[in-house]
């Protein structure tokens, strides 16, 4: 299995309370396994507040819906041993 690396990392975002915010990270290979999104070291699941998806097999996307002050913090995307933070 090829080593999947991060081609394009996360970018810092500034949003207003109540807005949605989307983070994108591009990886080197499609169908990457061992992928994880975190907010302040808490693993995020795909649910009504967090939309986690993969576009074209390589672009991993996290959308946080209707953010609040409690959502302030570091977003981490990890694939295998590689991480990107914003």
């Amino acid at each position: 299995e090829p080593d999947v690396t991060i081609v394009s990392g996360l970018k810092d975002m500034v949003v207003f309370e109540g807005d949605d915010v989307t983070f994108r990270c591009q990886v080197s290979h499609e169908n990457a396994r061992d992928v994880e999104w975190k907010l302040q070291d808490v693993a995020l699941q795909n649910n009504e507040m967090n939309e986690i998806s993969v576009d074209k097999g390589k672009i991993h996307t996290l959308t946080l819906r209707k953010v609040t002050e409690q959502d302030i913090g570091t977003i981490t995307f990890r694939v295998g041993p590689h991480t990107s933070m914003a």
Side-chain angles (χ1 to χ4, degrees):
E1 192 169 306
D3 184 29
V4 178
T5 59
I6 295 171
V7 176
S8 174
L10 299 176
K11 308 235 182 324
D12 290 341
M13 305 291 275
V14 176
V15 292
F16 292 102
E17 195 166 16
D19 286 352
D20 294 351
V21 60
T22 299
F23 296 90
R24 285 183 185 80
C25 206
Q26 184 175 347
V27 298
S28 58
H29 295 75
E30 291 184 14
N31 306 318
R33 290 193 211 120
D34 196 22
V35 171
E36 184 176 50
W37 287 98
K38 287 184 176 180
L39 172 60
Q40 294 293 68
D41 285 333
V42 176
L44 298 176
Q45 305 298 323
N46 197 21
N47 57 36
E48 67 277 354
M49 297 307 293
N50 313 315
E51 182 184 322
I52 298 171
S53 61
V54 181
D55 187 31
K56 297 185 180 120
K58 294 183 182 178
I59 300 169
H60 292 257
T61 304
L62 166 68
T63 300
L64 301 178
R65 304 247 177 249
K66 298 183 177 75
V67 295
T68 66
E69 266 188 52
Q70 286 75 41
D71 295 318
I72 292 173
T74 303
I75 292 285
T76 305
F77 173 83
R78 180 184 63 76
V79 57
H82 308 286
T83 59
S84 178
M85 295 184 200

